[in-house]
Amino acid sequence: MNVGQVDADRTIMRKAVLRLADRLPDLADRLTAEILSGDRGDRDDAFRHDVWEMCHTGLGHGFKTILDPDRGRADLEWARRLGQRRAHQGQPLDQLLRSYRLAGRVFWEAVVEVVGRHDPENVAALIRQATRTWDTIDQQSGAAAAAYHRTELDLARRSEERVQAIVDALLEGQGADGGLLATATSVLGLPATGRYAVVMLGAEGGFGDGVNRRPGDTGGMRFIWRLRTDAQVALVALGAAELDALVDAVRPYARSHAGVSPVVGSLAELGGARWFAELALRTCRGPGNQIARLDRRLPDALVLSQPRLAGRLGEVALGGLGGVDPGFRDALLTTLETWLECDGSAARAADRLFCHRNTVLNRLRRIEAAHRADPRPARRPGRARPRAERAAAARLRGRRARPARRGAARAGRRAARPVSGVRSWGRCPGTRRWWTRGARGTGTGRSGCRCRCTA
């Protein structure tokens, strides 16, 4: 197509648009009717007027672009503004794109009608203009859609920031504010009262690699995650689920320790739940990915929540171990803790520690001798439970125990020298009293007993 023919076609379009300029309000009426005819639901007068203004302004910008192309593409600028406006209004993008298709049809039918009435000999030339017209419509709808998507993403980011700010406020204990609580129920879509919990995951491991890096909503539970500098925190709406189900949902994704709070009954209590979850997380020690429920680690949590008291408790209860080599002291405390977890079974504790049963018994005797305590309480787990709390106090003061390994167990056995003056323990078969055989030896009673009894 030569330049002269292109100019002639543009002249035909300009003449047609000039004749349509006086009919612009009528065309806007027609286009508005077309758009609303396919719109489900009743619309009020304000919305109808808004659609008419959109049609009138859009057609007007299109006319100006055809009549004076050198002044720039005002139609594209209007399309961008319209896309932003519809995104803010929450109108579906499909409706916006449909309005552009309808606008192109109404405009083209009007052009064909005017040219056929006033310049019928130029109707054939409109065939060449049809492609250009629909290319223009595609450019306008594309500009509107791009602006719509950008605005939609911006709104989503602002909404997410608002959600994060509200969740942060709830986790910081500001839920007692009635205004915040009302906003939280509206924005988060959660009831003010319900079954909630908080999960806190240590930052050292994060979540496992993969597409789903965090537990999603599952089993009737809803997770709202927040990333902090030292941990990842989740507000969990439990619904009817129990804490065991929550732990099972988090475990496949966790690569580090996690703390789980008890169940609380309202959004206003999430500040306390967050503190409980943090406390539970702090009770986790050693390698692996322990998931600690606070209610199952109350002794450790108790001494952690009162560090000054924990320090004093460690000094009073375990001060006798102060002179012991730090490495061996950790082995002793680990042995005591493991033995208590095994309900006083030396054999089970030995299996866990990869050492011999006698090594466990020797270490327990070493602890008893260091404290000059009656050994009988330590041989009854129920009565020895306070000592477990003391061991936790000493360990949580900073005397961190290293995980037991076979090499460490052998080293512990080599280091487990008998206390000076104490070589063995025994129990009188008659009086049931405990005795010790010292380095210099003691007298013996009947039946080989060394408690000097007369049994």
Side-chain angles (χ1 to χ4, degrees):
M1 185 180 298
N2 55 46
V3 176
Q5 191 174 23
V6 171
D7 291 340
D9 291 345
R10 288 177 176 173
T11 300
I12 295 172
M13 285 296 295
R14 290 193 190 98
K15 290 172 61 177
V17 169
L18 284 172
R19 292 189 175 101
L20 290 173
D22 295 337
R23 296 175 50 190
L24 183 57
D26 295 335
L27 292 176
D29 290 339
R30 179 179 172 186
L31 179 56
T32 300
E34 291 279 355
I35 292 174
L36 295 178
S37 65
D39 190 17
R40 297 179 180 179
D42 297 332
R43 298 293 187 176
D44 55 18
D45 293 338
F47 180 79
R48 292 174 180 273
H49 180 72
D50 181 70
V51 173
W52 188 91
E53 287 289 344
M54 176 196 72
C55 296
H56 187 271
T57 304
L59 290 172
H61 283 302
F63 286 3
K64 292 177 181 178
T65 300
I66 295 173
L67 295 174
D68 193 0
D70 295 334
R71 295 186 62 181
R73 298 294 302 274
D75 57 328
L76 295 183
E77 182 60 31
W78 163 251
R80 297 185 187 99
R81 295 201 305 269
L82 182 60
Q84 294 174 357
R85 183 178 180 181
R86 287 297 182 249
H88 279 289
Q89 292 175 337
Q91 296 293 324
L93 179 60
D94 289 344
Q95 291 186 5
L96 177 61
L97 298 179
R98 176 175 173 270
S99 67
Y100 270 99
R101 291 194 299 271
L102 293 175
R105 191 182 74 183
V106 169
F107 170 76
W108 187 246
E109 289 176 351
V111 168
V112 172
E113 179 186 352
V114 168
V115 173
R117 180 183 302 170
H118 297 281
D119 301 305
E121 68 280 3
N122 294 326
V123 171
L126 294 180
I127 297 176
R128 294 188 294 270
Q129 286 295 322
T131 301
R132 299 191 187 98
T133 299
W134 286 106
D135 284 344
T136 300
I137 296 297
D138 286 341
Q139 293 173 11
Q140 294 171 351
S141 61
Y148 184 97
H149 285 305
R150 286 194 300 270
T151 305
E152 190 176 43
L153 290 175
D154 184 61
L155 292 174
R157 185 180 68 253
R158 293 179 185 177
S159 177
E160 180 66 21
E161 291 174 352
R162 189 183 186 194
V163 168
Q164 293 175 358
I166 291 173
V167 172
D168 285 341
L170 291 174
L171 294 177
E172 290 300 325
Q174 302 176 27
D177 185 341
L180 173 64
L181 199 58
T183 303
T185 57
S186 174
V187 174
L188 302 181
L190 296 174
T193 58
R195 299 179 70 251
Y196 297 102
V198 173
V199 174
M200 182 170 289
L201 186 80
E204 62 274 9
F207 280 97
D209 296 331
V211 178
N212 298 319
R213 298 176 64 86
R214 292 174 173 175
D217 297 349
T218 181
M221 296 178 290
R222 179 185 171 191
F223 291 79
I224 303 178
W225 286 95
R226 289 292 293 120
L227 180 63
R228 297 190 172 188
T229 57
D230 57 345
Q232 297 189 74
V233 187
L235 183 165
V236 186
L238 292 171
E242 299 297 334
L243 287 181
D244 288 339
L246 174 59
V247 171
D248 292 340
V250 173
R251 190 180 302 281
Y253 298 87
R255 296 180 59 189
S256 65
H257 301 318
V260 180
S261 76
V263 179
V264 295
S266 68
L267 293 175
E269 300 176 68
L270 286 174
R274 192 268 311 163
W275 184 76
F276 285 144
E278 180 180 0
L279 200 57
L281 174 59
R282 291 170 58 194
T283 66
C284 298
R285 303 180 302 276
N289 56 341
Q290 303 175 30
I291 301 181
R293 288 176 52 177
L294 180 73
D295 290 344
R296 296 181 180 177
R297 300 203 176 187
L298 288 177
D300 285 0
L302 180 61
V303 294
L304 273 171
S305 63
Q306 298 290 336
R308 295 178 62 185
L309 182 61
R312 183 59 184 164
L313 179 62
E315 292 175 2
V316 172
L318 298 174
L321 296 179
V324 180
D325 178 79
F328 185 49
R329 179 174 62 230
D330 288 345
L332 292 177
L333 293 175
T334 300
T335 301
L336 173 61
E337 187 177 22
T338 305
W339 179 74
L340 290 168
E341 290 175 354
C342 295
D343 295 326
S345 172
R348 288 166 54 194
D351 289 339
R352 285 195 186 185
L353 297 171
F354 303 105
C355 65
H356 195 274
R357 173 179 177 275
N358 290 343
T359 302
V360 174
L361 295 176
N362 287 335
R363 292 179 184 177
L364 294 175
R365 292 165 184 160
R366 178 67 175 85
I367 295 173
E368 293 167 349
H371 292 290
R372 297 184 178 87
D374 190 318
R376 283 174 293 180
R379 295 184 179 273
R380 297 183 184 180
R383 297 176 60 185
R385 190 62 62 182
R387 185 165 295 175
E389 299 175 6
R390 297 167 189 166
R395 194 183 311 283
L396 295 172
R397 284 178 57 204
R399 303 167 183 173
R400 188 179 183 86
R402 292 183 292 274
R405 300 182 298 274
R406 292 188 181 274
R410 289 193 295 269
R413 289 197 294 271
R414 289 194 297 270
R417 300 285 190 270
V419 185
S420 176
V422 178
R423 294 178 57 185
S424 64
W425 302 86
R427 196 171 192 176
C428 175
T431 64
R432 310 299 293 171
R433 290 184 298 180
W434 290 91
W435 54 261
T436 61
R437 181 162 59 86
R440 296 185 178 86
T442 63
T444 60
R446 288 184 295 173
S447 303
C449 176
R450 292 182 172 83
C451 71
R452 298 182 178 181
C453 67
T454 60

